[in-house]
Amino acid sequence: DTGVSQDPRHKITKRGQNVTFRCDPISEHNRLYWYRQTLGQGPEFLTYFQNEAQLEKSRLLSDRFSAERPKGSFSTLEIQRTEQGDSAMYLCASSAVVGRTDTQYFGPGTRLTVL
Amino acid sequence: AQSVAQPEDQVNVAEGNPLTVKCTYSVSGNPYLFWYVQYPNRGLQFLLKYITGDNLVKGSYGFEAEFNKSQTSFHLKKPSALVSDSALYFCAVRDEFFGNEKLTFGTGTRLTIIP
């Protein structure tokens, strides 16, 4: 069990550029989540997949954001036309239901800085 | 709707003393409650969770938490603090209703253990 991995760990981009982040969940975890964390705040939910189906999206996820999980394994989060307000830590988590609920295990995050 | 409050931004405790990090929650149904810890430049690590049953939950690294339904609280505790416990702690809640899979986090409490 190697844990959740995210790539890249850091990304610096200029305003208006597109960026894409990747998340590899714990193997055999069928649920995958994306959260965003800004300085001094707790993580905020963005979106959630069960297998390849995107089941829930937060209102925080504007039209510039898109997430995919094409084969029910890894996931990508793309931000188009980045803005300075997008600067944050993007966290991925995965889980599998055991009993009544699941426990989400988080990756190390991708820190995005938009200049 | 679901929400979490961590009333203390900062908690300082002398090494060897007991520690408490406070958390209160609000949900429509029954809560699933979680504690996570975050070290600098790293993702969140799962400590423990309450789903149902015994109100005292034991977790990793000697931490435990007490669920109090009447006070809607889920305070994190440890009998004897270590310097290595210094980190940022997040409480999170999820309503039990099926289809609601997202976690709502508090703003975090920075715990500093003083040698």
Side-chain angles (χ1 to χ4, degrees), chain B residues 45-48 58-64 76-78 85:
Chain B
Q45 293 182 27
F46 169 72
L47 281 179
L48 51 80
K58 294 188 183 297
S60 307
Y61 311 118
F63 284 95
E64 57 190 27
L76 182 70
K77 300 181 180 184
K78 187 173 182 181
D85 293 330

Side-chain angles (χ1 to χ4, degrees), chain A residues 1-6 22-34 49-51 69 71-75 92-98 102-108, chain B residues 36 44-46:
Chain A
D1 188 349
T2 58
V4 178
S5 61
Q6 293 186 245
R22 177 179 170 124
C23 171
D24 286 89
I26 294 170
S27 59
E28 299 180 357
H29 277 191
N30 63 339
R31 292 181 174 179
L32 188 147
Y33 305 78
W34 285 99
F49 291 84
Q50 180 150 314
N51 300 314
R69 195 182 182 199
K71 297 183 179 180
S73 56
F74 73 92
S75 175
C92 175
S94 71
S95 71
V97 175
V98 177
D102 59 339
T103 297
Q104 296 178 29
Y105 294 93
F106 284 79
Chain B
Y36 287 85
L44 280 72
Q45 293 182 27
F46 169 72

